Amino acid sequence: MAAHDSGTPGVPAAPRGPRPGALWLLPPAAVLALAAMGASIWDPRALQPAGQGGGAASDAVVTLGRGHLGTGHADAGYHSVVVLGAPAERSAAPAAVPGASGPAASAPRGAAPAAGRNAPPPGPGAAPVPAAQVPVPVPPPGAAESVAACAQLLPRLPTVDRALCESTRLSESGARSRKGTPLYWRDVAPAAGAPGAPEPLRVLVVGAIHGDELTSASLALRWIGFAGQPLPASRQAVHWRFIPVLNPDGLLARPATRVNARGVDLNRNFPTPNWERDAPLYWEKRTRRDPRRWPGPEPLSEPESRFLHTQMEGFRPDLVVSIHAPYGVLDYDGPLPPPSRLGQLRLDQLGIFPGSLGHYGSVRQGMPVVTIELQHELRMPDDQQVRQMWRDLLRWMDTHLAATDTPAGGISGK
């Protein structure tokens, strides 16, 4: 989300989107009429320049939701998870998503009932746990793919050394970027509990959706180590899934770029309502065709956004944390009370954008969405802040996510 390093000097940063309920798509005549009556149409901060409370500070969004069935290929080891269905807990059945392929693109919603988090254990003959929710096997220390991941990413990651990177034991997800770069991930999951025990919370953590936000990838890698530390007995177990670099092509470019190798802003490429109308119009009118914010030719046109969409559908996370930079705030969308702060980052709910991950998660899926906006895209916060943000996140999860289910419906007014 960095405003510089765009490769396009002189292009202004995109203004913030209107707050929920803002009528930014009204016909000009209606806008003028309402304005004449004193109606407030725009978020007063929407037209402020970046750095003065403006800019696209909620570009980074975090999602959380529930999906349907997935399966892993037995002959693919820990490398691939293929989602076979669409979310089973949604009441509406949207049309197939352009640009998506395979069964997930056309499977009807509501095809199978979804068990609640506290439902009793399945009886004999019940369907098995979706494979997309089964922990991804961790490669052994020194595995070739982990070494290769670190050799490729390390030159771009602030405050991450080789020992720390290789200790995360990243593995290939089976998905690849637009240029064919592997998309790496890591699961940290608790041991199987006793029969009838609450199943772990599922949390998806995503870094570097924008490739020029290097600190977002570093923070995700630092948190992998924290996720593996023992939890107090009073705290509910968590199955973490980390995707530290969703946009490796942008991160590895020189200079690093916000967009992927095709020039698409991945955080404008999700299938939000009326995407075909709203996303291009927003790009043309509000960003003045800023090449750093092009939403792409259609929703989910990019392999990176399709991969993340697949994880949301199959892993069925209870929380998705999306890490961005450099606006130094905490953003949130979703049905639960938001965290007021993570470390030094304080809550500033900044609105939604057509095609953004937060818009998709909160409006289309009714998912809680937490967005961490670090203060700098190149300089990491100190170790104390890295740990405090983690502790504050766990405290909020304990209060608002433990032993609860994400509501099935969307959120009105967004």
Side-chain angles (χ1 to χ4, degrees):
M1 198 170 309
H4 68 281
D5 196 20
S6 67
T8 310
V11 176
R16 297 181 199 268
R19 289 187 179 275
L23 306 179
W24 65 277
L25 288 177
L26 284 175
V31 171
L32 292 174
L34 286 172
M37 293 185 290
S40 175
I41 298 173
W42 295 96
D43 174 352
R45 295 181 299 175
L47 300 180
Q48 294 177 9
Q52 300 179 14
S58 67
D59 284 359
V61 210
V62 188
T63 51
L64 174 180
R66 291 201 164 307
H68 186 39
L69 298 179
T71 182
H73 292 301
D75 60 353
Y78 42 74
H79 288 158
S80 74
V81 172
V82 179
V83 171
L84 293 181
E89 295 185 1
R90 312 292 175 235
S91 58
V97 176
S101 60
S106 57
R109 295 182 183 269
R117 178 164 299 287
N118 296 314
V129 175
Q133 296 177 30
V134 174
V136 176
V138 180
E145 61 185 328
S146 301
V147 173
C150 292
Q152 187 175 49
L153 300 175
L154 263 177
R156 311 314 298 271
L157 301 180
T159 74
V160 176
D161 59 22
R162 182 171 300 278
L164 189 155
C165 182
E166 292 188 3
S167 72
T168 63
R169 294 159 71 178
L170 298 175
S171 63
E172 294 184 11
S173 66
R176 292 182 177 269
S177 69
R178 172 63 64 176
K179 291 179 68 175
T181 307
L183 301 182
Y184 294 98
W185 61 3
R186 167 69 193 275
D187 270 17
V188 181
E199 64 176 281
L201 295 172
R202 293 183 296 274
V203 180
L204 179 64
V205 180
V206 186
I209 293 178
H210 295 142
D212 57 1
E213 297 164 13
L214 308 182
T215 51
S216 66
S218 292
L219 184 65
L221 288 171
R222 297 283 296 275
W223 278 6
I224 291 176
F226 295 171
Q229 296 174 358
L231 290 173
S234 60
R235 179 162 284 163
Q236 186 167 353
V238 180
H239 178 178
W240 300 89
R241 178 161 294 175
F242 291 87
I243 304 171
V245 181
L246 184 69
N247 182 5
D249 297 341
L251 183 135
L252 297 172
R254 294 191 178 274
T257 62
R258 175 187 173 97
V259 296
N260 76 344
R262 193 186 190 186
V264 174
D265 182 345
L266 300 177
N267 204 35
R268 297 292 182 271
N269 195 234
F270 288 88
T272 54
N274 302 312
W275 187 98
E276 290 77 6
R277 179 195 66 188
D278 294 352
L281 183 61
Y282 184 93
W283 179 62
E284 292 175 5
K285 302 298 184 183
R286 295 295 304 280
T287 79
R288 301 180 183 180
R289 302 177 67 89
D290 183 350
R292 300 178 67 248
R293 289 173 171 80
W294 182 47
E298 59 187 5
L300 299 182
S301 62
E302 305 310 296
E304 301 93 341
S305 55
R306 288 198 298 270
F307 171 62
L308 183 54
H309 181 266
T310 295
Q311 294 308 305
M312 294 162 62
E313 299 277 300
F315 183 53
R316 301 195 311 186
D318 294 292
L319 176 65
V320 180
V321 178
S322 181
I323 310 172
H324 290 252
Y327 289 95
V329 298
L330 177 67
D331 195 10
Y332 177 81
D333 293 282
L336 302 175
S340 60
R341 62 183 296 168
L342 295 185
Q344 293 180 343
L345 305 180
R346 295 184 179 275
L347 181 67
D348 188 358
Q349 292 178 271
L350 302 168
I352 55 178
F353 298 82
S356 74
L357 184 56
H359 188 175
Y360 172 73
S362 64
V363 175
R364 188 73 176 264
Q365 300 287 7
M367 304 171 178
V369 171
V370 172
T371 300
I372 293 173
E373 277 279 352
L374 297 174
Q375 292 178 329
H376 202 282
E377 70 273 34
L378 301 177
R379 186 174 61 252
M380 279 286 287
D382 61 34
D383 287 347
Q384 180 181 356
Q385 279 302 306
V386 169
R387 292 181 180 277
Q388 189 61 52
M389 285 189 288
W390 176 258
R391 287 193 292 263
D392 289 345
L393 177 64
L394 293 182
R395 188 176 299 114
W396 179 80
M397 288 167 51
D398 286 344
T399 302
H400 296 290
L401 293 182
T404 62
D405 279 321
T406 300
I411 305 170
S412 62
K414 278 279 194 175

